[in-house]
């Protein structure tokens, strides 16, 4: 049987983008399983959520947003540090780029390696990569929470750290008046999880519990459609938890009996594939997911750095 194409290197087809108005002045752009982005209007400014992989890709999103509002971007909120989420930041001309304290730490530690890794894994998302001026650095970071007053009768936007999850530094953006939550990659709606830099136990327990406790009625996850209605939102959160719990169970069983990483991958793939296998980036993610969870079970709490070379080694071992 022929080896599977590396990660998403063969995923070259364009996706249909859909701009959704979630509430007055609250927007999301989804793209058939590609990374989602969003924006929230203040009285005389915008808060953008996520930056896309390149300035060219970001400008495409901004052009669609400008059909609804011409307010300047005051804040650009980065939910976490992965290259496909942050390297388009220069297109926004934001006054302030905001992220969690741990996101700054991760950029310092592995920003360039992550850039090289993700460019190799997902080349289609890096539209005109020469337009990227360099690593994206936050101007402002926080540890627990931060509130942005939107002005007028628009209420507040609350940026909240819910605990370690998809990375060490994921934050969500919560609109309590509108009950809209931008969850970043802590929640996926019918899209597979990437957990290569994750903390599987924390994420599947307390972190998702705190996300669910917001009681959101509309949720923008990292990928996939926008769930609407409390029941549908909670189902997306529990789908995310289920993916993590199955991984923990299957990899844990193999690890406990002294099996190999390959054994763990095959057991996990067999268990997840019937429910999740047709969802975006499932085959792409799973080798990196299992490898990270295996490290955790070996006592490696802080994720090892992914490089382009390490990516290929793990892929060849597990998916080759």
């Amino acid at each position: 049987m022929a080896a599977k194409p590396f990660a998403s290197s063969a995923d070259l087809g364009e996706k249909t983008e859909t701009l959704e108005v979630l509430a007055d002045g609250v927007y999301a752009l989804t793209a058939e399983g590609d990374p989602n982005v969003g924006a929230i209007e203040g009285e005389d400014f915008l808060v953008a959520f996520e930056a896309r992989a390149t300035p060219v890709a970001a400008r495409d999103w901004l052009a669609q947003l400008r059909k609804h509002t011409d307010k300047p971007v005051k804040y650009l909120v980065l939910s976490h540090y992965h290259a496909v989420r942050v390297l388009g930041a220069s297109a926004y001309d934001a006054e302030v780029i905001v992220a969690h304290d741990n996101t700054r730490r991760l950029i310092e530690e592995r920003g360039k390696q992550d850039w090289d890794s993700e460019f190799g894994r997902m080349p289609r998302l890096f539209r005109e990569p020469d337009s990227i001026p360099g690593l994206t650095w936050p101007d402002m970071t926080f540890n627990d929470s931060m509130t942005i007053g939107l002005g007028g009768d628009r209420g507040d936007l609350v940026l909240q750290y819910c605990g370690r999850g998809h990375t060490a530094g994921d934050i969500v953006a919560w609109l309590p008046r509108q009950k809209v939550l931008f969850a970043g990659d802590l929640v996926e709606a019918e899209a597979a999880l990437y957990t290569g830099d994750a903390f599987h136990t924390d994420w599947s327990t307390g972190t998702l519990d705190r996300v669910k406790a917001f009681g959101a009625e509309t949720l923008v996850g990292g990928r996939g459609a926008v769930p609407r209605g409390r029941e549908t939102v909670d189902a997306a959160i529990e789908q995310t938890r289920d993916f993590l719990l199955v991984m923990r169970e299957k990899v844990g069983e193999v690890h406990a009996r002294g099996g190999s990483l390959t054994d763990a991958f095959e057991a996990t793939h067999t268990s997840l594939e019937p429910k999740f296998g047709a969802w975006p980036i499932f085959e792409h993610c799973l080798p990196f997911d299992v490898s990270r969870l295996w490290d955790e079970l070996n006592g490696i709490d802080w994720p090892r750095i992914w490089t382009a070379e390490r990516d290929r080694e793990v892929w060849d071992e597990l998916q080759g």
Side-chain angles (χ1 to χ4, degrees):
M1 186 170 61
K4 294 175 181 176
F6 174 66
S8 291
S9 61
D11 178 11
L12 302 176
E14 288 301 311
K15 309 295 184 184
T16 299
E17 297 182 346
T18 303
L19 190 151
E20 299 184 46
V21 181
L22 307 179
D24 181 31
V26 183
Y27 309 96
L29 188 77
T30 62
E32 298 184 310
D34 275 0
N36 296 335
V37 290
I40 302 100
E41 287 190 49
E43 188 71 6
D44 56 3
F45 63 89
L46 282 172
V47 181
F49 190 80
E50 312 288 35
R52 304 194 107 179
T54 69
V56 169
R59 282 194 285 271
D60 287 348
W61 148 234
L62 289 169
Q64 296 190 57
L65 184 61
R66 291 309 180 202
K67 297 174 184 176
H68 297 265
T69 175
D70 61 359
K71 295 174 183 176
V73 177
K74 183 173 183 179
Y75 299 96
L76 171 60
V77 176
L78 306 177
S79 71
H80 62 289
Y81 84 98
H82 285 136
V84 294
R85 301 290 186 181
V86 304
L87 292 180
S90 62
Y92 293 81
D93 294 321
E95 290 183 28
V96 183
I97 298 174
V98 183
H100 190 263
D101 292 343
N102 285 340
T103 294
R104 172 174 282 279
R105 174 184 173 185
L106 289 164
I107 294 168
E108 291 171 346
E109 178 187 65
R110 63 185 70 194
K112 184 60 171 67
Q113 293 98 321
D114 182 72
W115 178 351
D116 294 340
S117 166
E118 294 200 31
F119 181 72
R121 294 186 193 181
M122 295 172 279
R124 180 178 52 79
L125 297 181
F126 286 82
R127 200 174 315 153
E128 297 189 33
D130 290 345
S131 66
I132 302 170
L135 292 174
T136 297
W137 293 94
D139 302 301
M140 179 184 298
T141 64
F142 64 92
N143 184 56
D144 183 37
S145 66
M146 171 181 167
T147 299
I148 298 172
L150 298 174
D153 61 355
R154 294 181 177 273
D156 291 332
L157 177 68
V158 180
L159 307 181
Q160 183 71 48
Y161 181 62
C162 295
R164 304 192 305 180
H166 173 72
T167 72
D170 301 86
I171 58 175
V172 302
W174 169 235
L175 288 161
R177 180 167 298 185
Q178 299 87 344
K179 295 191 180 301
V180 176
L181 182 70
F182 291 85
D185 280 330
L186 287 175
V187 179
E188 309 288 7
E190 298 193 359
L193 305 188
Y194 175 67
T195 73
D197 297 298
F199 299 83
H200 291 78
T201 301
D202 291 7
W203 187 1
S204 62
T205 56
T207 298
L208 281 180
D209 289 345
R210 285 184 280 274
V211 171
K212 193 172 184 179
F214 285 103
E217 295 179 2
T218 302
L219 183 144
V220 183
R223 295 174 183 260
V226 176
R228 298 171 187 258
R230 180 67 185 274
E231 184 175 336
T232 308
V233 168
D234 286 353
I237 295 169
E238 292 308 318
Q239 164 225 296
T240 300
R241 195 193 310 267
D242 184 44
F243 192 105
L244 293 165
L245 291 177
V246 171
M247 282 189 61
R248 288 179 58 198
E249 177 187 359
K250 296 305 174 183
V251 177
E253 287 174 352
V254 174
H255 190 272
R257 69 169 185 258
S260 69
L261 177 62
T262 301
D263 294 337
F265 173 77
E266 291 174 352
T268 305
H269 191 285
T270 297
S271 294
L272 288 174
E273 197 276 335
K275 181 175 180 179
F276 300 100
W279 290 0
I281 67 172
F282 175 78
E283 296 292 349
H284 171 153
C285 291
L286 203 60
F288 309 116
D289 295 355
V290 172
S291 180
R292 166 57 189 153
L293 181 49
W294 192 261
D295 277 358
E296 283 186 285
L297 294 171
N298 283 334
I300 301 173
D301 180 66
W302 192 253
R304 288 193 286 154
I305 296 172
W306 290 102
T307 64
E309 295 75 21
R310 183 176 171 229
D311 287 355
R312 292 282 182 172
E313 290 171 2
V314 169
W315 185 269
D316 289 345
E317 180 179 0
L318 300 182
Q319 285 276 45

